[in-house]
Structure formats: C-alpha cells, structure tokens
Amino acid sequence: MLIKGRYTVWLLVMAVLLSAALAGGYRWMFHMPGSSYRGTPPSLDAQGEALRERLRTHVRALAEEIGERHVWRPEALRAAADYIEQAFRDAGLEPRRLPVPRGGQAFHNLEVRLPGRGATDETLVVGAHYDTVRGTSGADDNASGVAVLLELARRLQGAELEREIRLVAFVNEEAPHFGSDAMGSLSYAREARARGDTIVGMLSLEMLGHYTDAPGSQAYPPLLGLIYPDRGNFVACVGNLRSRRLVRRVTGAFRRHAEIPSEGLAAPELLRDIFRSDHWAFWEMGWPAMMLTDTANFRNPHYHGPGDTWNRLDYASMARLTPALADTLTQLAR
C-alpha cells in the first residue's frame, strides 16, 4: 500500500507539472529573471580566500569538533549554540537566545537583528538550522548553511538598510521534531505572528556546500529533469506558488551578483520536496518564504549519512555564494 501510495503521488505531481507547462505555466513556475552564471569563475582574491577559510573553520568546528548535534546528545547541541553565539559576537553583533522547550529541557534559537533605518517596520528573516539527524556529523546538512549565516552576519554588520534583517540559527529542524512544538523555526514563526511582526520574506539556508560539474550528478523529482541542468553545480532557489514573487526577486538579485550558477522554482505544494526546511514554518503563518539549497539528496550521496563530513564540501563555491547573497539581502532590504 505504501508503494502504491507513493506511486499515486508521483503520478499526481507529474500531472500537475505537465498541466502547468501545457497551460503556459512554464513562465509562472520555472522562468526566473536574469541569467544563471556560466563559464569558469575567476580565482578567489585575498578576501575570498580568507572567507573560504572562515567558512571551512565554522563547518569543521560544528561537524568535526562537536559532531552529531541533536537532543539525544544535548551537550553537543548546546556546544553548537555556544559556538554560534560567539561567532555572532565576533562579527560585532549581540545575539539573543530564544528558548524552545522540548521534553522538560530548553534548547535555543539564536537571533541577531540588523536594524532598518527607514520608516518601515518590515522585516526579512534569514535562517539556518544547526541540529543534525542521528548518525551524521552534518557538514552539508546543515553546518554549511550555518557557516554562510555566520559570514552573512560579518558582511552585513553596519550595512545601511531600510528594512530590518534578522539572522536566526534554528534548533530542532530534523525529524522527529519537524512540524512539532519543539521545532525551533515553528516556535519562532508563531511568536513573531503573535507579536504582529511584519515579515515580508524568509530565506532558509539549507545545505549549501556540495557542488559538482560531473554530468548526470543532479537528480530531480518527476519531470523537473526535463527543464533543469543535469550537473549539480548550482544553487537552487525554491518556494511555493504563494512565494513566487519572493523567489523571483531573490533569484534575479542573486544572479546580478553571483559567480556561481543558480536556478529558481516556484512550485505547487503537491511537490512535497519543496517543504523540507525551516521556510515551511513561515508558510504556516502565512508569510512568503523560500529556501536556498544544493538540493540535498538529489545531489549529495552522503545526505543524512556518516559520509557527510567537513572535508567533502566545496568551500570555494561557498565563498562565491556568500557575498552574492549578502548583496542580494542588502538589495531586498532597501
């Protein structure tokens, strides 16, 4: 019955995507502003090399020195929170610890706020989860996203912004917490909604370290391989149809600054793979949200396994991605 049910869902997804394409949905779902970067990027300059080394240091600290980070190793989860808190401070910012109760224990989201100077209370949220599943050190999933988040803090500190930007490291994204009261991003989004915050967009940084130019290295859910490239060398910008405007704005702005390929997708929620990160919590509260990702198990063969180690990531690509994303956020906040 399970196999039959999955087969039915895949058929439905294929039918929806095919119907959308036939009905002129190509531009609505798949077409994004600008052009993806093509060609060989220039070598990193001195600043880029320094950034690459800092990114590597963050990932190695989380994935190797601390290791598995989950509620069954609470001391490691707290050590990761301590590391993130200190890294935010080293970037010149003062983080806030926001408790997330779970089974009589309290774990924490960590937030820094970059104030807007305009006459608006609108806010952009950028987040990455720092926990792992059991059995993996979680270098790509998701020390890579946390590392980029920490370096965004360094680059954006002191930036002149009209809208406020909040950078948040979320706890407890992974199963069995996803969708539960113990999920850090859901707790955060619910509290923001209860306060009446005006969140105009949320970007989830979910696995940003695995890239390859090998032909056939990129897989997809049904039919998408007919549209997107077969080489896993790009950053994917993914959201639901309600977040289409945000996906297009982020993809277009990123492409203006990036020296790394990028692809965008705004898909119907029947395509369940688009749910798989902290942006889902913000959809639940009615806000536009999306993820930036290397596409996880559709590219990385070590997803959720013991092979997801710090020495397998592409830090040069991460060092090209980070400043482009910082410039994108600055543009969105203006």
Side-chain angles (χ1 to χ4, degrees):
M1 290 295 292
L2 180 60
I3 295 174
K4 182 178 179 181
R6 286 180 177 174
Y7 181 69
T8 302
V9 170
W10 276 53
L11 286 177
L12 286 171
V13 170
M14 292 176 70
V16 169
L17 293 175
L18 184 59
S19 297
L22 292 175
Y26 176 84
R27 291 188 61 83
W28 183 258
M29 293 170 55
F30 309 122
H31 181 73
M32 296 291 147
S35 299
S36 177
Y37 186 84
R38 294 290 182 261
T40 302
S43 299
L44 295 174
D45 60 15
Q47 286 186 337
E49 290 288 354
L51 174 57
R52 176 167 67 175
E53 188 54 38
R54 289 196 302 272
L55 289 163
R56 190 201 319 265
T57 297
H58 294 318
V59 173
R60 191 168 185 178
L62 292 167
E64 183 181 54
E65 296 172 19
I66 297 173
E68 292 185 38
R69 307 174 294 283
H70 46 66
V71 296
W72 297 279
R73 296 188 72 227
E75 72 288 347
L77 200 54
R78 293 189 177 104
D82 291 343
Y83 180 89
I84 293 164
E85 184 176 55
Q86 186 58 52
F88 277 142
R89 288 202 174 103
D90 291 344
L93 299 164
E94 188 55 42
R96 301 170 62 222
R97 283 191 177 235
L98 308 173
V100 182
R102 189 267 180 193
Q105 302 181 82
F107 299 97
H108 293 87
N109 296 327
L110 294 105
E111 176 201 64
V112 294
R113 297 190 179 191
L114 305 168
R117 297 179 172 87
T120 178
D121 60 357
E122 294 177 344
T123 296
L124 289 165
V125 176
V126 184
H129 74 88
Y130 63 91
D131 61 311
T132 70
V133 297
R134 286 178 168 182
T136 179
S137 66
D140 196 18
D141 188 13
N142 188 36
S144 65
V146 174
V148 171
L149 184 78
L150 296 176
E151 289 305 310
L152 287 175
R154 181 186 292 269
R155 296 186 74 89
L156 293 173
Q157 195 274 340
E160 294 187 5
L161 310 171
E162 296 296 313
R163 294 182 169 123
E164 177 186 63
I165 296 178
R166 299 179 192 170
L167 306 176
V168 192
F170 294 120
V171 73
N172 294 348
E173 184 265 2
E174 298 286 6
H177 302 109
F178 195 97
S180 75
D181 292 342
M183 183 181 182
S185 55
L186 186 57
S187 172
Y188 184 94
R190 284 172 173 168
E191 291 176 5
R193 173 58 73 192
R195 286 193 304 267
D197 293 356
T198 306
I199 295 177
V200 294
M202 186 274 177
L203 282 68
S204 176
L205 311 181
E206 179 62 70
M207 302 183 64
L208 290 171
H210 190 88
Y211 303 93
T212 173
D213 288 316
S217 56
Q218 182 67 52
Y220 296 95
L223 290 185
L224 295 183
L226 300 175
I227 298 165
Y228 294 105
D230 74 335
R231 299 171 190 250
N233 62 358
F234 60 87
V235 178
C237 303
V238 181
N240 61 2
L241 291 178
R242 289 180 295 153
S243 305
R244 176 178 177 270
R245 184 168 180 266
L246 176 66
V247 174
R248 287 178 55 81
R249 290 187 66 195
V250 169
T251 305
F254 183 82
R255 286 175 169 179
R256 282 192 285 276
H257 303 289
E259 294 177 338
I260 182 173
S262 56
E263 302 293 342
L265 171 67
E269 293 183 14
L270 185 63
L271 187 62
R272 304 301 290 179
D273 289 299
I274 69 172
F275 280 69
R276 293 167 46 188
S277 193
D278 292 299
H279 59 293
W280 167 85
F282 292 78
W283 289 352
E284 288 292 288
M285 297 299 108
W287 288 311
M290 57 174 287
M291 67 173 160
L292 282 80
T293 179
D294 64 18
T295 75
N297 56 295
F298 292 104
R299 179 186 306 173
N300 189 339
H302 305 290
Y303 173 74
H304 279 188
D308 185 12
T309 53
W310 71 271
N311 56 320
R312 285 193 161 102
L313 300 194
D314 181 347
Y315 297 98
S317 291
M318 291 172 65
R320 294 185 177 97
L321 179 156
T322 303
L325 183 54
D327 289 342
T328 298
L329 291 171
T330 302
Q331 183 174 327
L332 293 176
R334 286 177 177 167

